[in-house]
Amino acid sequence: MKTYNVFEEQDWISKIQVNHPAVLRRAEQIQARRPVKKEWQAAWLLKAVTFIDLTTLSGDDTSSNIQRLCYKAKYPIREDLLKALNMHDKGITTAAVCVYPARVCDAVKALKAVGCNIPVASVATGFPAGQTHLKTRLEEIRLAVEDGATEIDIVINRTLVLTGQWEALYGEIRQFRKACGEAHLKTILATGELGSLTNVYKASMIAMMAGSDFIKTSTGKETVNATFPVAIVMLRAIRDFFWKTGNKIGFKPAGGIRSAKDSLAWLSLVKEELGDEWLKPELFRIGASTLLSDIERQIYHHVTGRYAAYHDLPMS
C-alpha cells in the first residue's frame, strides 16, 4: 500500500473540522431504523457471522479456552440450524480469532487441529492503554508475527492525539507498519478517549496515511466504545481517503456490540456509508466476544420458533 508523508499534509490536517450536530442527526437516523425481518434477517445474521473477529482478551485465558474459541470460529452455528436454512455447505466461519500475544501459538495450533485456515489476530503495542515504551511495543508486534499472527490490532498512544502531535503519531504507526511485515495492520483509535469527533477524523486519516489496513473504533476496555457517531466520522474518513488516494481501508467497530440487532445496524451503516463493496471480511470486521451467541440464538428462534435454553447452544 502507498503511504503518505504527514509533513506534506500538515496544513490540510490542521484545518479539519467535524460538524458535530450533523453527525449526531445521522446517528439518530440509523438508530431509529426498523431491522429486517424473517428470512431477510436470518440471511443478514449469517452474513454478520462472517465478519466477526471472535475475541477473548481475558486475564484468565488458557490454552483450553483458546481451543474452544477456535472450534467455535470454525463451527459458529449449529450444523442442524444451517441445514434447516440450506446453508450447511457454504463454509460459514467467523472472519478471524483475536487473542493476546501470549496466546497466538495456542490459537494457531488449535485452528490447524480443526482444519481451519482463518487468520489469527493479536492485539499488541501495550494493549489496551498503549503507554509502554515504543521499543517494547514494537517487539511485541514482532513476537506475535513470529508466533503466527497474520493480523495485528495495535493501539495508538492517545496522548499524541490529545496534544496534537500528528507527526509523532504518524511516525509511530509507520514503525508499527514496518514491524508487522506481511501481517495486516489494524489500528485501534480508542475513540472514547480522543476528546472530540474532529480528533477521531484526524486520527483516522493519520492512521490510514501511515499504512493501516483497517481502522478500529475501540479496545473494548474503554468506558465508551463503539458508537454510531464515531463510526460515521471514521467511515467518512475512509470514504474521503478512498476518493483522495484510491486505497480502500477496512473498518472494525469493537466494544459493546453484543446483540444480533446491533450487528444488523452496523451492517446497514457500512452499506449506506461505503456501499456493498465494503461488506466483505477483507474490509469490514466486528470485534466481539458475546455477539455470536446472540446471533446463534436468533437463528435458533427463526428455525424452531422458540428461544434456546443455555445448554442448547454451548460455546463448543
Side-chain angles (χ1 to χ4, degrees), residues 12 22 29 55 61 67 70 80 82-83 93 110 119 156 173 194 205 215 253 259 300 302 308 310 312 314:
W12 175 67
Q29 290 175 353
T55 302
D61 283 339
Q67 288 174 2
C70 292
D80 60 316
L82 291 176
K83 284 183 177 179
T93 68
I156 64 169
I173 298 174
L194 297 189
M205 276 294 177
I215 52 176
S259 73
Y300 184 98
H302 175 77
Y310 179 79
D312 287 326

Side-chain angles (χ1 to χ4, degrees), residues 56-57 61-63 66-67 69-70 97-112 118-124 140-153 183:
T56 181
L57 297 171
D61 283 339
T62 65
S63 59
I66 298 299
Q67 288 174 2
L69 185 83
C70 292
V97 296
C98 184
V99 297
Y100 274 120
R103 302 265 72 91
V104 168
C105 284
D106 292 334
V108 170
K109 182 179 179 180
L111 287 171
K112 184 177 181 180
I118 66 172
V120 173
S122 174
V123 296
E140 192 173 36
I141 293 173
R142 296 187 189 104
L143 290 172
V145 172
E146 286 177 10
D147 285 346
T150 55
E151 299 180 356
I152 302 294
D153 289 31

Side-chain angles (χ1 to χ4, degrees), residues 182-209:
E182 295 298 315
H184 279 84
L185 173 64
K186 306 209 289 280
T187 299
I188 308 171
L189 302 181
T191 54
E193 298 179 348
L194 297 189
S196 71
L197 293 179
T198 296
N199 278 347
V200 170
Y201 186 96
K202 290 181 178 181
S204 298
M205 276 294 177
I206 296 296
M208 291 186 287
M209 288 176 180

